[in-house]
Amino acid sequence: MTNEANKLKEEGLRLFEDGAYQEAIEQFELARQGFEKEGQKLAMAEMLNNIGVIHRVEGRLPEAARMLEEAMAIFVELGDRDREAQALGNLAPIYKKQGDLEKTLEAYKKSADIFGEIGDLEKQGEILMTLGIAQFDAGKRIDGVTSYEAGLRIIPKPSIRQKWLRTLLKLRMKALGM
């Protein structure tokens, strides 16, 4: 069955990339059922996560949140910190669209903390920058700038744009005598 469930998962990924979201959900759900029958909780949770992401893309926020929260609970149970942080990062924009600022900021903060704990500085930096934008948009300007700068500073391989922003920040700090 594992081979069949994996094939269903791969087909779901292909359909997702092609934009055939409903068909991808169907394949992921069949794969989820197969993994569940075999007791492969991690693979089952990955399918829930995939389905949740598609629901988010299509604007079905309650379904997306439910799937992602269910997946995250399994990741927590299994001690998979990386996937837990990814699920939190997927949940935060849903909470934001639902108007729950507190849950949005909490999800981003926890995601960034976990990525920091496991040493994934790239993902931690990206999440901190996204947190900064969310804080700034929420009127928490100083917190937003602080989070964004922290994220920008820790990214190990910054893009050209990020390098440019780092340079501007250094110039600002120099101008302020810091």
Side-chain angles (χ1 to χ4, degrees):
M1 181 65 168
T2 301
N3 197 25
E4 183 181 331
N6 279 321
K7 285 179 184 176
L8 291 165
K9 176 183 92 170
E10 293 303 318
E11 179 63 11
L13 291 170
R14 186 191 67 72
L15 289 164
F16 175 74
E17 289 174 9
D18 290 346
Y21 298 135
Q22 191 54 47
E23 293 87 351
I25 287 174
E26 292 166 9
Q27 294 301 304
F28 289 141
E29 178 55 29
L30 290 170
R32 185 199 64 74
Q33 291 170 15
F35 290 131
E36 185 175 29
K37 283 179 186 172
E38 295 178 3
Q40 293 191 39
K41 284 183 124 177
L42 181 59
M44 183 186 81
E46 287 177 350
M47 296 307 98
L48 289 169
N49 189 72
N50 292 346
I51 294 167
V53 168
I54 293 172
H55 283 309
R56 187 184 87 193
V57 167
E58 293 208 312
R60 292 187 300 272
L61 302 182
E63 295 92 342
R66 186 173 41 81
M67 293 289 184
L68 291 166
E69 287 168 349
E70 189 176 338
M72 187 177 65
I74 295 168
F75 296 144
V76 169
E77 175 189 334
L78 297 176
D80 192 324
R81 302 290 281 160
D82 181 63
R83 286 185 177 90
E84 176 187 353
Q86 289 178 43
L88 284 162
N90 285 328
L91 279 163
I94 293 169
Y95 297 148
K96 185 176 182 182
K97 286 182 180 177
Q98 291 177 326
D100 193 332
L101 179 63
E102 188 175 312
K103 281 177 85 171
T104 301
L105 300 180
E106 181 183 320
Y108 279 136
K109 285 177 188 175
K110 189 170 181 183
S111 177
D113 288 346
I114 293 169
F115 282 132
E117 289 168 15
I118 64 175
D120 192 331
L121 298 179
E122 189 73 37
K123 288 179 186 171
Q124 183 187 26
E126 292 293 334
I127 292 291
L128 282 171
M129 291 186 328
T130 305
L131 168 63
I133 292 168
Q135 289 169 321
F136 196 86
D137 289 347
K140 298 180 178 203
R141 307 274 193 247
I142 294 172
D143 290 343
V145 170
T146 302
S147 295
Y148 193 91
E149 285 183 27
L152 189 60
R153 285 191 182 120
I154 65 170
I155 291 177
K157 296 178 185 173
S159 67
I160 291 177
R161 179 179 178 266
Q162 291 166 338
K163 287 178 184 177
W164 180 77
L165 285 170
R166 280 182 177 179
T167 301
L168 288 177
L169 290 173
K170 286 178 188 175
L171 291 173
R172 183 194 76 180
M173 297 297 273
K174 188 175 181 179
L176 294 172
M178 302 173 105

